[in-house]
Amino acid sequence: MTARLIDGAALAGTIRADLAIRAGRLATAGHPPGLAVILVGSDAASQVYVRNKVKACEETGIRSMLERHDASLAESALLDRIEALNRDPSVHGILVQLPLPAHIAPARVIAAIAADKDVDGYSVESAGRLLAGLPGFRPCTPWGCLKLIESTGVDLRGKHAVVIGRSNTVGKPMALLLLQADATVTVCHSRSHDLAEHTRRADVVVAAVGRPRTLTAAMVKPGAIVIDVGMNRVPEGEPGAGKLCGDVDFDGVAEIASAITPVPGGVGPMTVAMLMANTVESAERRAEQT
Ligand code: NAP
């Protein structure tokens, strides 16, 4: 392997150690940061994500309030719970774990979260603030990706960045964050013609697709920085079937790229760290106002 491994777990640890100091200061001043986490139903992956987030809160000195609800919870009941948490001054962030059961509209739920507690950064207000270049909560995964890219020491100004994927939670905000960092940004998606033609010109590639081995060595410019957001399972019948894998053919691309994130241990821990960062920042803002 010639690429440098970008260690997301280590960077997340450093960020969280700093956040723990800030959380400690808030607690001493009588404003301990608090994050409410709502889980509806029993989706297996969601259970793992929620457990990781609660554990990270404990380790960072953030008070977590985990609410588990049955999958049959009515949308109106969930909206009532969010309304109560919006009014609770000990809660600085509200996270509703997605996906929600089919009878609940995620857009209505996200819209119900108070703008100053939207630590996932998924609301229209947060998205608008990002688009306009105004301060606000940045979605945790792309924000974590930006930190990983910056950790390589690259100067993004004028560099060509290609984002594969255009979801509201990862691809689109990633593109905006890179644009704000003065990169020249191309966004690719399932309708893009000749994906490789775009990625081969990229100094930085962020793959957020949800398909194993979407980005192969032949699609990467020598020396590029590659960030793998994907969290997939290796398909049955292939070596390592069932194991966690990203969107990037790691072994091949690591021979071409200058730096690359692993899966696991890359973007995942950074997503959680940036959630902690948004929560501490929210608590600091509140403390300043009181
Ligand atoms: P998503 O909403 O399903 O979006 C996937 C995007 O990939 C879409 O924009 C889609 O294009 C595009 N796409 C699909 N096939 C493609 C192809 N063959 N070529 C180019 N583009 C293609 O997924 P997401 O929520 O953004 O997540 C993406 C991946 O990141 C998933 O594996 C997810 O599990 C993972 N993830 C990881 C973390 C973490 O913390 N590590 C956090 C969030 C997500 P269209 O828009 O045209 O359909």
Side-chain angles (χ1 to χ4, degrees):
M1 166 170 160
T2 51
R4 194 190 116 195
L5 195 70
I6 309 174
D7 188 342
L11 182 59
T14 306
I15 290 172
R16 272 168 40 190
D18 174 58
L19 291 171
I21 294 168
R22 288 163 58 185
R25 267 192 224 121
L26 283 163
T28 307
H31 305 288
L35 175 67
V37 180
I38 301 179
L39 178 62
V40 186
S42 54
D43 178 75
S46 294
Q47 306 260 10
V48 176
Y49 299 150
V50 161
R51 206 179 314 133
N52 287 344
K53 289 167 188 174
V54 168
K55 187 163 164 270
C57 281
E58 277 165 22
E59 290 167 4
T60 314
I62 295 172
R63 199 167 69 92
S64 67
M65 293 147 264
L66 172 60
E67 288 189 17
R68 292 173 185 276
H69 296 281
D70 196 80
S72 62
L73 182 77
E75 185 183 281
S76 58
L78 179 56
L79 296 178
D80 287 347
R81 274 308 300 144
I82 291 171
E83 197 40 56
L85 293 166
N86 283 343
R87 287 193 303 267
D88 184 340
S90 73
V91 173
H92 304 98
I94 302 171
L95 180 153
V96 179
Q97 185 64 47
L98 302 178
L100 288 163
H103 66 278
I104 301 178
R108 263 199 294 272
V109 171
I110 291 165
I113 297 171
D116 61 351
K117 299 190 180 188
D118 173 37
V119 286
D120 250 343
Y122 288 171
S123 69
V124 170
E125 159 115 17
S126 295
R129 288 184 154 271
L130 172 58
L131 185 73
L134 296 171
F137 295 117
R138 304 310 190 214
C140 304
T141 298
W143 192 26
C145 291
L146 185 71
K147 298 277 177 200
L148 288 165
I149 296 166
E150 288 172 347
S151 77
T152 66
V154 69
D155 180 358
L156 279 170
R157 283 176 299 178
K159 295 286 189 310
H160 184 203
V162 170
V163 180
I164 319 175
R166 58 173 166 178
S167 67
N168 287 340
T169 49
V170 188
K172 282 183 203 162
M174 183 77 252
L176 289 168
L177 287 167
L178 288 162
L179 197 58
Q180 222 165 61
D182 290 335
T184 302
V185 184
T186 301
V187 183
C188 298
H189 46 79
S190 68
R191 305 296 172 94
S192 298
H193 293 300
D194 200 350
L195 180 62
E197 190 202 325
H198 297 288
T199 57
R200 270 199 295 265
R201 286 189 286 113
D203 303 300
V204 177
V205 182
V206 179
V209 184
R211 274 172 33 135
R213 279 187 291 286
T214 299
L215 190 76
T216 61
M219 299 167 72
V220 175
K221 177 163 104 174
I225 295 167
V226 175
I227 306 294
D228 190 350
V229 184
M231 289 223 282
N232 315 299
R233 296 279 160 197
V234 176
E236 286 305 318
E238 293 188 18
K243 274 174 60 179
L244 192 64
C245 70
D247 292 340
V248 175
D249 177 13
F250 182 89
D251 291 340
V253 172
E255 297 299 331
I256 306 286
S258 64
I260 186 168
T261 57
V263 177
V267 174
M270 285 299 289
T271 295
V272 179
M274 302 332 282
L275 173 67
M276 302 298 111
N278 276 342
T279 306
V280 169
E281 201 180 299
S282 175
E284 285 174 343
R285 251 185 256 151
R286 174 68 64 82
E288 277 167 21
Q289 289 161 9
T290 50

